[in-house]
Amino acid sequence: MKTDELKEKDSIDLEPFYQALEDDSKILEEALEILLEMVHFEPKSIKKLALFIKKDSRNLYKEIVELSKSNQGKGNTSSCCGGH
């Protein structure tokens, strides 16, 4: 009996949350910022997130790779110093 009660408490309806993320790009952006802040300080979490993106979100993975390539092409010069 107690396990059924716990399951009911733990099963939160996340559909309104997901719908809000889909409906409002600002909410989605804030949620992603929070997620990135959370994994920023946990190296294991960073690797898990990266592997998840690579495996399950191919379009996002490809976009990240393209952004990474374009940033590497710009070199390591600092924008404040003009590369001097």
Side-chain angles (χ1 to χ4, degrees):
M1 269 224 190
K2 286 187 178 182
T3 57
D4 290 336
E5 290 174 18
L6 288 175
K7 286 181 183 178
E8 286 180 27
K9 288 181 182 177
D10 288 340
S11 65
I12 299 171
D13 182 19
L14 293 175
E15 193 58 37
F17 174 73
Y18 296 141
Q19 191 62 51
L21 292 176
E22 287 181 14
D23 292 345
D24 190 338
S25 62
K26 288 183 182 183
I27 293 174
L28 176 61
E29 187 176 325
E30 288 177 20
L32 289 172
E33 285 180 21
I34 291 168
L35 174 66
L36 291 174
E37 286 178 19
M38 289 171 57
V39 300
H40 178 72
F41 297 107
E42 280 294 323
K44 290 180 182 179
S45 295
I46 294 170
K47 188 170 186 172
K48 287 179 184 179
L49 180 60
L51 290 172
F52 173 78
I53 290 170
K54 184 176 182 180
K55 180 182 175 193
D56 293 336
S57 302
R58 295 298 296 169
N59 290 336
L60 178 58
Y61 176 75
K62 289 176 185 177
E63 192 65 32
I64 291 170
V65 169
E66 288 302 314
L67 286 171
S68 175
K69 287 179 184 177
S70 67
N71 286 338
Q72 286 177 354
K74 293 179 181 177
N76 290 332
T77 58
S78 175
S79 61
C80 70
C81 306
H84 297 287

